[in-house]
Amino acid sequence: MDMGRESRWEKDAMTVEIVFALVTGAVLAAAVFALVAGFAVLVGLTGAARHDALTGGAVAGAAAGLWRVVRVLRRFDGWRRQGH
């Protein structure tokens, strides 16, 4: 194999890893949001407090999902650079 060119297997592995990262990131984001939303409903928040809790849950979910995507892709890049 030429240096600097990926084989078909490597391209497929990258595609699978990207999809895995996006799916697990979306699941984590949804889980974090659901946890916060469930807490807001369970506690009985209303009005501005409920809105703020849901907004905070959405932000925390997005941050957790983004963190997951970056973590998975960085781990894969490190694994790939080691020659696996």
Side-chain angles (χ1 to χ4, degrees), residues 17-18 20-33 57-75:
E17 202 67 24
I18 290 168
F20 175 76
L22 291 173
V23 169
T24 59
V27 169
L28 180 62
V32 169
F33 177 75
V59 170
L66 182 62
W67 169 80
R68 175 66 180 167
V69 169
V70 170
R71 182 173 173 249
V72 168
L73 294 179
R74 286 184 58 110
R75 184 184 64 204

Side-chain angles (χ1 to χ4, degrees), residues 3 10 73-84:
M3 293 302 292
E10 290 170 322
L73 294 179
R74 286 184 58 110
R75 184 184 64 204
F76 177 72
D77 186 51
W79 177 79
R80 188 179 60 86
R81 288 177 189 260
Q82 289 179 356
H84 291 109

Side-chain angles (χ1 to χ4, degrees), residues 33-61:
F33 177 75
L35 184 69
V36 173
F39 178 75
V41 170
L42 184 66
V43 173
L45 296 178
T46 59
R50 182 176 180 166
H51 179 266
D52 291 345
L54 294 178
T55 301
V59 170

